[in-house]
Amino acid sequence: MPAERGCRAGIVVTGTEVLSAIISDRNGPWLSQRLREAGIDLIQILIVGDRPEDMREALEAQARAGADLIVTSGGLGPTADDLTAEVVAGFAGREMVLDEGLEERIWKILEPLRVRWPQLDEDAIRQSNRKQAVVPVGATVLEPVGTAPGLVVPPADGTEGPTVVVLPGPPRELQPMWETAVKTDAFRSATVHATEYRTGVLRLFGIPESEIAATLRVLEADGVPLDRLEVTTCLRRGEIEVATRYEPDAESAYERLVAGVSVRHADTLFSVDGGTIDDQVAELLLAGPTTVATGESCTGGLLVARLTERPGASAYVLGGVVAYANEAKTDLLGVPEELIAAHGAVSTEVAVALAEGAVERFGSDLAVGVTGVAGPGGGTPEKPVGLICLCVLAADGRRLVRSATLPGDRGTIRDRAATVGMHMLRRLLLGESDGPDAAPVEAAPGTLDGPRTSA
Amino acid sequence: MPAERGCRAGIVVTGTEVLSAIISDRNGPWLSQRLREAGIDLIQILIVGDRPEDMREALEAQARAGADLIVTSGGLGPTADDLTAEVVAGFAGREMVLDEGLEERIWKILEPLRVRWPQLDEDAIRQSNRKQAVVPVGATVLEPVGTAPGLVVPPADGTEGPTVVVLPGPPRELQPMWETAVKTDAFRSATVHATEYRTGVLRLFGIPESEIAATLRVLEADGVPLDRLEVTTCLRRGEIEVATRYEPDAESAYERLVAGVSVRHADTLFSVDGGTIDDQVAELLLAGPTTVATGESCTGGLLVARLTERPGASAYVLGGVVAYANEAKTDLLGVPEELIAAHGAVSTEVAVALAEGAVERFGSDLAVGVTGVAGPGGGTPEKPVGLICLCVLAADGRRLVRSATLPGDRGTIRDRAATVGMHMLRRLLLGESDGPDAAPVEAAPGTLDGPRTSA
């Protein structure tokens, strides 16, 4: 548990477009994580429109809730409805004044714009520029990343209240400016009581969330001081994430938690350092070096898109064939027509043939074949919506073949099928493979190894 | 502008996992849109952790801000930290009582679970079950979609204050339950002053946001009563979305806005009914009927994944080849090695050859070829990061060829390149095509037709 007092913060996201859900807020979650890392307890995230009275009320609400620090995003643009700086100045009890040096620096930033669009009205630009250079007296100015400066605004001298960090709305401006803000003296004095925390993340695949809850109860009964750890468990894209925050002197408690989960869930725990399945597969492929290709049906390219997501993916991804039509399976990946006729396009046999075709056509070391019923139509009693069949195959013949029935809608089934493919790739890369004559494994929903019961 | 008073609402999203950004909030934005459609003005969205005092303070803050209605999500589970119903009862000044009929109905819902896991402790389940059936006196119960009931809780008789709609956290439970909630008498009396609104959405592609602002100024100067319209403009995945909300008697003002935008931006306005580019391409392909395939390099499968996103896509998508390695371009799509050597893998020539290969190998009516430098590495002065080259080609030889340099990071460039591909597909499907000897068009960032200046 955090120290009795510590340092508390609130986040105020402004913008009618965010409140109306026309654009989604990326700043609240991002700032939440930064505060957490900085050992500052977040009380609430408040999203309000661009009206100054709503903004002022939001700041007052954070102060009432006991915030030592308030972080705002948005409302720093050059137009008349961008009022954050002024509202914050009023809240902190500080006058607004023109900072002439800042005005000149913003003018320089605008120069390329003026050269590119000479038809723009210079007076109008001057006016916008000046508006952005009017700041609360005594505030620390954070130099613009775009054209808007940020601010760190302590309460007026002789008064009490939270310090406000004022940041622009665009994430590409907000994020680097936050790094500048945390280094200012004003920020440091407002957060002097922040607690030092460490964090750890475990990831598991193929296990229901309730089993982790059961494990935590067992560990607690065994005397692991879980009250020293803030453990949060969540299901994300079919995987379980166990995120823990703790103070440095609870390190041994965290180690006991990790050891306990490792023993009880050895077969489903795949990451103890926070690395994702995508990180692990990329590292294993690079380390080989091993090349990979895909032969996809129901995932429609999601698996190869995911494999090529990270920079440098061309070192190990040769490509993929999305064979949506049956003719494409036959023409582009050599899946025999008779095989499809005999077993159906959604079958472990066809998944194997898709992987074989990909290895052969791309000349890759490994391939993943995946086929399934993504729905919402096309299900039958034997092959319901959500049935997926996968094969990961090495050029030397080692392979894993699995089928499972996934819950959820079309998008979820497609996404989860790609996740299953990533986990199967990891297992093959780590040396696991089915025996030469093994029958395909029929796995429980979201797992790779068949139904399991509670320990 | 909305009526002077109307009906105002606040949203309270509870959950330490949401506040900590471990899971992202989907309910706030979803409820925001529903309230907007219902003519209810949203004051704020407040995200708080699972602590009852933070939750209570959040409800008080919404009441102070003038909410007639508060919608909460989360905290209705069977465990001890799920306290929303109790906190809301306290806020509304109502006692909590066991609803025995509800207890029995939840027990029936749990039956399949008990059959599936007979080792579960029946007493513990009974206790959880009962907790979920304890509700505020006088509240309207919303039947469970999962296992948790929702509630509509008016203020205690003889008192004033907002009515609280209490909904579960999982979106698949919250969304259908909202539809039930709006039909209850308690909801209707709380929102009796809601304004009737209409909404309209225009979409444009290949134009900077500032040009829409300029158009709005011109229309206002021409006497279009823009003060009767709430216009919100935003940039989303490289497209401009102009969303407007207005009261029914401002219909003619909205029609004048649409007419004005249609005249001034005829070449970039692609949707006046809110339909997305993906909707339009799917409809055009279905109407043909026309089949499509892709030959992708830098997008790594994102384009074919996007084309196969919607149910029924197998009627028009045959598949795609992701040819990430140059050998794959040659082996799987017949792109001549010499062509790659002469022009480089990122060139309009190779984009054309990728599309030609896809048409030929899949036997499709249309194909899109796309290649580019997604970065962050691999850029050169001649071919910088962000350069993309695309060709959409029909089997009969009609084609569009474009190149552009997109801003942003690797993920953005890959995503936007797929968007450009969708827009080029639409244009070819609508009959546009380059002349037989036309040179490839070098387009301005994010556009299809080269730089344009302000009107």
Side-chain angles (χ1 to χ4, degrees):
Chain A
M1 287 284 108
E4 197 53 48
R5 183 58 183 83
C7 175
R8 304 186 80 196
I11 294 172
V12 178
V13 174
T14 69
T16 300
E17 290 168 354
V18 178
L19 186 64
S20 313
I22 290 168
I23 62 172
S24 68
D25 169 44
R26 288 168 53 197
N27 295 331
W30 190 87
L31 289 167
S32 168
Q33 288 172 323
R34 297 297 83 70
L35 291 168
R36 187 181 167 88
E37 288 162 6
I40 299 165
D41 278 313
L42 179 59
I43 310 167
Q44 55 178 222
I45 299 174
L46 187 52
I47 303 174
V48 291
D50 286 321
R51 291 190 301 196
E53 60 274 26
D54 289 353
M55 175 78 201
R56 175 67 182 254
E57 172 56 32
L59 296 171
E60 305 283 359
Q62 309 284 325
R64 263 194 310 270
D68 305 297
L69 187 78
I70 301 173
V71 187
T72 72
S73 86
L76 295 182
T79 57
D81 60 341
D82 291 308
L83 288 165
T84 303
E86 205 174 318
V87 172
V88 169
F91 170 75
R94 294 180 177 273
E95 296 290 314
M96 294 288 277
V97 286
L98 176 66
D99 179 333
E100 287 178 6
L102 179 60
E103 183 181 16
E104 207 43 51
R105 295 197 296 281
I106 297 175
W107 187 245
K108 286 225 175 70
I109 293 170
L110 296 172
E111 197 162 334
L113 279 174
R114 287 179 288 122
V115 171
R116 195 158 150 202
W117 287 293
Q119 75 276 28
L120 292 179
D121 176 356
E122 179 156 333
D123 272 358
I125 302 181
R126 272 276 178 212
Q127 219 174 323
S128 301
N129 171 7
R130 175 159 297 179
K131 176 195 165 293
Q132 289 186 303
V134 177
V135 297
V137 179
T140 305
V141 172
L142 307 168
E143 289 301 310
V145 175
T147 65
L151 301 164
V152 184
V153 189
D157 300 334
T159 67
E160 299 227 330
T163 290
V164 188
V165 180
V166 179
L167 299 174
R172 68 179 179 282
E173 298 181 29
L174 174 138
Q175 293 178 9
M177 203 178 276
W178 168 258
E179 304 303 337
T180 310
V182 298
K183 294 188 191 103
T184 61
D185 291 339
F187 184 93
R188 287 193 176 146
S189 17
T191 59
V192 70
H193 294 294
T195 314
E196 190 193 336
Y197 284 114
R198 292 183 186 167
T199 58
V201 174
L202 307 177
R203 294 180 197 282
L204 301 95
F205 180 69
I207 176 176
E209 202 174 352
S210 55
E211 291 221 12
I212 299 298
T215 291
L216 291 178
R217 284 193 297 272
V218 168
L219 293 177
E220 190 152 39
D222 281 357
V224 178
L226 287 188
D227 58 335
R228 301 297 322 280
L229 306 173
E230 284 178 61
V231 183
T232 320
T233 304
C234 79
L235 193 66
R236 195 205 292 270
R237 294 179 91 179
E239 300 173 348
I240 305 280
E241 181 180 289
V242 182
T244 306
R245 186 172 85 154
Y246 54 94
E247 294 182 42
D249 63 358
E251 181 73 43
S252 72
Y254 184 63
E255 281 165 11
R256 289 179 67 186
L257 170 71
V258 175
V261 173
S262 301
V263 168
R264 289 176 59 93
H265 306 292
D267 50 345
T268 54
L269 177 69
F270 68 90
S271 170
V272 294
D273 62 1
T276 64
I277 185 65
D278 293 42
D279 294 334
Q280 294 187 355
V281 167
E283 276 162 30
L284 289 164
L285 289 168
L286 266 176
T290 308
T291 57
V292 68
T294 70
E296 304 179 51
S297 184
C298 66
T299 45
L302 286 179
L303 185 55
V304 63
R306 192 159 160 183
L307 284 166
T308 56
E309 215 166 68
R310 50 196 62 208
S314 55
Y316 47 85
V317 182
L318 299 184
V321 168
V322 178
Y324 221 59
N326 284 348
E327 296 70 35
K329 294 181 180 68
T330 302
D331 295 347
L332 279 104
L333 290 173
V335 180
E337 271 179 60
E338 313 79 59
L339 193 78
I340 299 177
H343 302 282
V346 179
S347 58
T348 49
E349 290 81 0
V350 167
V352 172
L354 289 167
E356 285 170 346
V359 162
E360 189 220 316
R361 302 288 163 107
F362 286 95
S364 59
D365 301 319
L366 296 182
V368 188
V370 51
T371 178
V373 189
T380 64
E382 296 76 40
K383 297 189 176 177
V385 168
L387 174 67
I388 57 163
C389 302
L390 293 99
C391 171
V392 291
L393 178 76
D396 62 15
R398 287 176 304 117
R399 69 181 212 187
L400 292 166
V401 183
R402 297 288 182 272
S403 70
T405 306
L406 306 179
D409 61 13
R410 179 178 176 87
T412 306
I413 291 164
R414 282 161 45 101
D415 185 58
R416 296 282 165 87
T419 299
V420 173
M422 296 299 283
H423 280 276
M424 288 174 63
L425 257 181
R426 169 180 172 273
R427 291 191 171 199
L428 198 78
L429 283 161
L430 289 175
E432 197 174 313
S433 86
D434 297 339
D437 303 312
V441 173
E442 178 78 37
T447 77
L448 292 180
D449 299 303
R452 66 184 68 238
T453 52
S454 236
Chain B
M1 288 283 108
E4 196 55 49
R5 183 58 182 83
C7 175
R8 304 186 80 196
I11 295 172
V12 178
V13 175
T14 69
T16 301
E17 291 169 354
V18 177
L19 185 63
S20 312
I22 289 169
I23 61 170
S24 67
D25 170 45
R26 287 166 53 196
N27 294 333
W30 190 87
L31 290 167
S32 169
Q33 288 173 323
R34 296 299 82 70
L35 289 168
R36 188 181 166 87
E37 289 161 5
I40 298 165
D41 278 313
L42 178 60
I43 310 168
Q44 55 179 224
I45 300 173
L46 186 52
I47 304 173
V48 291
D50 286 320
R51 292 192 298 200
E53 61 272 28
D54 289 355
M55 176 76 201
R56 175 66 181 255
E57 171 56 34
L59 297 171
E60 304 283 359
Q62 308 284 326
R64 267 195 307 270
D68 305 298
L69 187 79
I70 301 174
V71 187
T72 72
S73 86
L76 294 183
T79 59
D81 60 341
D82 291 307
L83 289 163
T84 302
E86 205 176 317
V87 172
V88 169
F91 171 75
R94 291 179 180 274
E95 297 290 316
M96 293 287 278
V97 285
L98 175 66
D99 180 331
E100 288 177 7
L102 180 59
E103 183 182 16
E104 209 40 54
R105 295 197 296 279
I106 297 175
W107 186 246
K108 287 228 175 67
I109 293 171
L110 295 172
E111 195 161 337
L113 279 174
R114 288 179 287 123
V115 171
R116 195 159 151 199
W117 288 291
Q119 75 276 31
L120 291 179
D121 175 357
E122 177 155 337
D123 271 359
I125 303 180
R126 271 275 178 213
Q127 218 174 324
S128 300
N129 172 7
R130 176 159 297 178
K131 178 194 165 293
Q132 289 186 304
V134 177
V135 298
V137 179
T140 304
V141 171
L142 308 168
E143 288 302 309
V145 176
T147 65
L151 300 164
V152 184
V153 189
D157 300 335
T159 67
E160 298 229 329
T163 290
V164 187
V165 180
V166 180
L167 300 174
R172 69 180 178 282
E173 297 181 27
L174 175 137
Q175 294 177 10
M177 205 180 277
W178 169 259
E179 305 303 336
T180 311
V182 299
K183 294 187 192 107
T184 61
D185 290 339
F187 184 95
R188 286 194 177 147
S189 11
T191 58
V192 70
H193 295 294
T195 314
E196 189 193 338
Y197 284 114
R198 293 182 186 169
T199 58
V201 174
L202 307 177
R203 296 182 195 280
L204 301 95
F205 179 68
I207 176 176
E209 202 173 351
S210 55
E211 291 220 13
I212 299 298
T215 291
L216 292 178
R217 286 193 296 272
V218 169
L219 293 178
E220 189 152 40
D222 282 358
V224 178
L226 288 188
D227 59 333
R228 301 297 322 280
L229 305 173
E230 284 179 62
V231 183
T232 319
T233 304
C234 79
L235 192 65
R236 195 206 292 268
R237 294 180 92 180
E239 300 174 347
I240 304 280
E241 181 179 289
V242 182
T244 306
R245 185 172 84 156
Y246 54 94
E247 293 181 43
D249 65 355
E251 182 72 44
S252 72
Y254 184 65
E255 280 166 10
R256 289 180 66 186
L257 169 71
V258 175
V261 172
S262 302
V263 168
R264 290 176 59 94
H265 306 291
D267 49 348
T268 54
L269 178 69
F270 69 90
S271 171
V272 294
D273 62 1
T276 65
I277 185 65
D278 293 41
D279 294 333
Q280 294 187 354
V281 167
E283 276 161 31
L284 288 164
L285 288 168
L286 266 176
T290 308
T291 57
V292 69
T294 70
E296 304 180 51
S297 184
C298 65
T299 44
L302 287 179
L303 187 55
V304 63
R306 190 158 161 182
L307 284 165
T308 55
E309 215 164 69
R310 53 195 61 211
S314 55
Y316 48 84
V317 181
L318 299 186
V321 168
V322 178
Y324 221 59
N326 284 348
E327 295 69 36
K329 294 180 180 69
T330 302
D331 295 347
L332 278 105
L333 289 172
V335 179
E337 274 179 57
E338 313 78 59
L339 192 79
I340 298 176
H343 302 283
V346 178
S347 58
T348 49
E349 290 81 359
V350 168
V352 172
L354 288 168
E356 285 170 347
V359 162
E360 190 219 315
R361 303 287 164 107
F362 286 94
S364 60
D365 300 320
L366 295 182
V368 188
V370 51
T371 177
V373 189
T380 65
E382 296 77 39
K383 296 186 176 177
V385 168
L387 174 66
I388 56 164
C389 302
L390 293 101
C391 171
V392 289
L393 178 75
D396 62 15
R398 287 175 305 115
R399 67 180 216 187
L400 292 166
V401 183
R402 299 287 182 272
S403 70
T405 306
L406 306 179
D409 61 13
R410 180 178 175 87
T412 307
I413 291 164
R414 280 161 46 102
D415 185 58
R416 296 282 165 86
T419 300
V420 173
M422 295 298 283
H423 279 277
M424 288 173 63
L425 258 181
R426 171 181 172 269
R427 290 190 173 200
L428 198 77
L429 283 161
L430 289 174
E432 200 174 310
S433 87
D434 298 340
D437 304 311
V441 173
E442 177 80 39
T447 76
L448 291 180
D449 298 303
R452 67 184 68 236
T453 51
S454 237

